[in-house]
Structure formats: C-alpha cells, structure tokens
Amino acid sequence: MLPLDVLARDEYGFLADSGQWNEAVAEALAAEDGLQLTPAHWEIIQFMRAYYAEYQHQPNARLFGQAIKKSLGADKGGSLYLYRLFPDGPLKYANKYAGLPIPPSCI
Amino acid sequence: MKISIQINASPYQHQAADSAWHFIQAALVAGHQIYRVFFYHDGIYNALRDSRPPGDERDIVKRWSALQAEHGIDLVVCVSSAQRRGLLEQSVARKVGGYEAALADGFRIAGLGLLMEAIIDADRHICFGS
Amino acid sequence: MLYIINKSHTDNLALSKCLQTASATDVVLLIEHAVYAALELSQSPLTAMAGSAVTVYALSPDMQARGVQQAACLDFIQYVDYAGFVELVAANQPIRSCF
Amino acid sequence: MKNIFFIIDKPLHGNIQTQEFIDIALMAAAFDQRVLMLFEGDGVYALLQQQTPEAIGLKNSSPLLKALSVYDINDVFVEAESMRERGLSSEQFVIEVNVCPRAELKQQQETADQLFSF
C-alpha cells in the first residue's frame, strides 16, 4: 500500500493532485478515517470519478443525490443509503476517496 | 404580493445594489412582502463587514444590515459564490483560517436551495445587475 | 412580459433585441444607464417605436441622476418613480431583466 | 411546478458567471421545476465544440453542458437568427439542441413563470 505521507494533500486532507489517485490510495484515505471500503462504497466512488471525468463538474449535495438516482437507481441516491455508507457526509467523503477536490459546501 | 430579490453585482462598481434598495423601500411602502434578498455572483460583496466608504457616501453594506434589523428581511449570501470570492461562514472562517468571518450583521450564508425556495414560493423574483 | 433594461443602447443590444419581438402586451422599463435611450436625439432603437403598441417607461430618478430631461425625450415615453416600478412588477408576468 | 427559463446570451469563458448561472438551472431541475434553456446572441458561442479554456488557465465548463440531461433538462433551445448572424450550424455544437425562430421562442417565454439571464 502506498504510504499516504508521500502524497501531496490540501489543508482538508484531500489529494492535491488527483493524478496520484489509485484504488490503494482510496483505501488508505478511507482507512485513515476509520472506514473500510466495501463494494457499495466503491460503486459511489467510481460513479463520482466517472461523473467528474465526463462533466468536469462537482455537484452539490442535492445534485449529487439526483445524479446517483439517475445513474444507479432511486434507492442509492437517497440520503439514508448514502449516509449509511459515509456517516460523516456522503458528498464530502465520496469526493475525498475519489481523489477529487473538496466541494464548496463541505469546507 | 411576495417579492424576492436577487443581487448579482458588487456594490460601488454597479448600480444594482442601489436600484434594488430603492425598489425594496418602495415595495415595503406599497405593502408588499420582501420574501428574501439573495446575493449571488459578485453580489456577495454587498455582505462584507469591513466595507468603510468615505463618510459623505452612502454606506451600502450598513443599509442592508439596517433593512434586516428594521424589517426582518432575510439576507442570504450564496455559499459557493462567497467561498470562491473569499467570504466564509463564521464557523468555517474559524476552522480553516482561525479568524472571525467578514460577514456583516444581518446576513447569513447558505446554499442555492434558499434561492430555489424563493423562486418557487414568491409571486415575483427580480434580478438586479450586472 | 416586462423587460427591465439597464444598459445604454449604444453599449448593449438588449433594448434592440427586446424591441424586435415586443408586442402590445409587453412593457419595457428603462433603468440605470438605459434611460439615455429615452432621449429624442439619442438615435436609440426606440425612435422607430413611435405609434407602436409597446409601452415604454423610464425610471425618473435614474433620469434625474443623469440629467436626462423629460422635455428632451421621445413623446411616447412614460415615466415612473420607484413606486411605479413596483406597480409594473406587480402588474406584469413574466419579467425579464436583460443584462 | 414552475416553468423557469434560463437565457444564456453571453459566451461561456473569461469569467465564472456562466458556470454559476448553470448551477442555478441544475438546482431548479433538482427541485423538480420545469427548466428550459435558451442560447441566443453571443450565448450561442458557448455551444461550440473544441473549446480549450485550459489554454488560458481556466477550467473547462463546456462538458458541464452535457450534464444538463443528467438532471433531465432536455428543453434546450437555440435561437435560429442568432446562429445565422454568426454563421454557425448545429453540427458545430457540443450538445443536441432545438433550433427555433425568435418569434416562437418569444411565445414560449411568455408562458414562463420566471425568466433568468445574467
């Protein structure tokens, strides 16, 4: 596993260079927050990466839920489901483990 | 009638804040309700606490604060517009900068959801500037 | 529909554009720098609107601020203060602020 | 549900206004309002392919236009006269659009509850 301390991070602990992201980095970032990534987490994280790659856009919380609903199904865009996966804030931590910038509302 | 207002331009650089303020005064006199004033784009600069215009000029920021104090009008600054331009919420300013927020009295920082609510609930939504 | 125009007609096409499709049910309100278009000799697109069914208002405080005299304005222009601005907003829907 | 019309009549790049403006449109759609988008005047340039604002150090907000459909914003119009004046055709655009004459778009706007431009 890549040691996190060689990766440049911003003041919020997010990757400074998303080019340094890989799955091992995502797992290490989550582990640091005490979270073990499961396939359900990965589904959301990969969705975030694909969405960002295609649209160069970071949705806010409301749009995030809508976009997930549209792509992965209504049950997965709901707050209940997302908060169970990322208890400290789905938008913030899905972005963090996806190696993307911190969204404005999460600072 | 419920009227909501959106300000898109900075004070002093554009007349928008003046036009909106005079409009709001007239609307209140006519008995209308000002549902909310939403500050977007460079409009967020209307909420800078440390604005200190020369004494012989109108004080746009103080005028907004007074409007809130006297009429209870909800003054909302868009969070993402504000962060991009260097205006943070109190708790965020303390957390990331270790200083007090520069937000003037009577304003609050919130998300676009409050603009949506204003558009949906008010009878009219008027944009000023740029 | 109420069009609120705030820029000088020599600087911005908003006034010209709205006049191209404006009809009898439309109202145009000139505020801020747009009040210059009310002047008779300003060569504004409004000069061609004489006799048209479109109603055009100019905001008198913004005219006073700029030294735009009613006597020098096109004769079909009507004048409102901020109270009149509010009445126009209440009476018309939808409203487009053109920038 | 309200009919909300978003009118883009300025080019996309050089400032953050357009991006922030589109954010409002996306939010309106996420709040289950009916969103219509109209590109007219110089706004039609915003639709051109192969925009590379990275060349001047800016983030590319052109791909954001493709996200409109993610939020079910499918009523996207372009004013035919504006395209013609600028010698543009819809094959040059990044997204599929409905090209409509000015007069028809005016009628649509009259049915709106709210019109936005910036």
Side-chain angles (χ1 to χ4, degrees), chain D residues 47 73-78 90 93-99:
Chain D
L47 293 164
I73 301 176
N74 299 312
D75 294 313
V76 182
F77 301 97
V78 181
S90 47
F93 293 161
V94 287
I95 50 170
E96 239 178 85
V97 292
N98 304 297
V99 179

Side-chain angles (χ1 to χ4, degrees), chain B residues 104-120:
Chain B
D105 287 345
F107 291 86
R108 60 180 176 135
I109 293 184
L112 274 181
L114 290 193
L115 174 62
M116 292 307 133
E117 191 185 71
I119 295 165
I120 293 165

Side-chain angles (χ1 to χ4, degrees), chain D residues 42-100:
Chain D
D42 281 350
V44 299
Y45 290 128
L47 293 164
L48 283 179
Q49 291 167 9
Q50 295 187 316
Q51 300 184 44
T52 317
E54 293 87 348
I56 50 170
L58 302 185
K59 184 174 161 180
N60 196 350
S61 37
S62 188
L64 178 54
L65 298 175
K66 293 186 206 149
L68 296 177
S69 60
V70 173
Y71 303 100
D72 295 320
I73 301 176
N74 299 312
D75 294 313
V76 182
F77 301 97
V78 181
E79 191 189 83
E81 287 85 343
S82 297
M83 280 173 67
R84 203 161 45 236
E85 286 161 9
R86 289 162 184 78
L88 302 177
S89 67
S90 47
E91 298 88 70
Q92 295 169 278
F93 293 161
V94 287
I95 50 170
E96 239 178 85
V97 292
N98 304 297
V99 179
C100 278

Side-chain angles (χ1 to χ4, degrees), chain A:
Chain A
M1 191 181 283
L2 255 174
L4 282 178
D5 42 352
V6 305
L7 295 173
R9 313 262 290 270
D10 69 12
E11 57 185 305
Y12 315 104
F14 282 53
L15 284 192
D17 173 8
S18 67
Q20 293 188 315
W21 184 92
N22 59 41
E23 295 193 355
V25 168
E27 275 165 6
L29 286 169
E32 190 185 59
D33 296 331
L35 196 69
Q36 167 91 44
L37 298 181
T38 66
H41 292 98
W42 276 111
E43 188 179 34
I44 304 296
I45 292 167
Q46 295 294 8
F47 168 81
M48 286 311 286
R49 289 186 58 81
Y51 179 96
Y52 188 78
E54 185 158 8
Y55 307 120
Q56 300 285 301
H57 175 247
Q58 285 192 289
N60 64 23
R62 178 108 184 185
L63 297 177
F64 173 60
Q66 286 287 112
I68 288 178
K69 263 180 208 167
K70 175 106 177 180
S71 173
L72 304 177
D75 49 329
K76 290 175 180 164
S79 295
L80 209 63
Y81 178 82
L82 291 168
Y83 269 94
R84 220 168 45 225
L85 291 176
F86 303 98
D88 294 327
L91 181 65
K92 179 173 181 177
Y93 290 94
N95 274 287
K96 184 178 179 186
Y97 307 144
L100 302 174
I102 187 168
S105 57
C106 298
I107 287 175

Side-chain angles (χ1 to χ4, degrees), chain C residues 1-3 12-13 17 20-23 25-26 93-99, chain D residues 7 9-10 40-41 79 82 102-103 106 109-115 117-118:
Chain C
M1 173 146 45
L2 169 64
Y3 292 93
N12 180 286
L13 294 175
K17 279 213 72 172
Q20 281 166 8
T21 49
S23 65
T25 53
D26 292 323
Q93 175 77 333
I95 297 167
R96 178 171 175 189
S97 293
C98 305
F99 301 119
Chain D
I7 301 165
D9 59 4
K10 294 169 184 65
E40 64 171 39
E79 191 189 83
S82 297
R102 185 174 288 163
K106 170 72 192 328
Q109 286 172 54
E110 281 167 1
T111 66
D113 295 298
Q114 179 65 38
L115 296 166
S117 55
F118 64 100

Side-chain angles (χ1 to χ4, degrees), chain B residues 15 19 22 124 127 129-130, chain C residues 32 62 66 89-90 92 97 99:
Chain B
Q15 203 187 319
S19 297
H22 289 293
R124 298 283 187 278
C127 298
S130 62
Chain C
E32 300 173 3
D62 277 339
R66 289 164 177 78
V89 162
N92 291 280
S97 293
F99 301 119

Side-chain angles (χ1 to χ4, degrees), chain B residues 25-45:
Chain B
Q25 296 296 320
L28 292 171
V29 168
H32 296 294
Q33 181 200 341
I34 300 299
Y35 185 89
R36 175 167 293 148
V37 185
F38 194 84
F39 297 86
Y40 201 60
H41 298 306
D42 281 3
I44 68 103
Y45 292 116

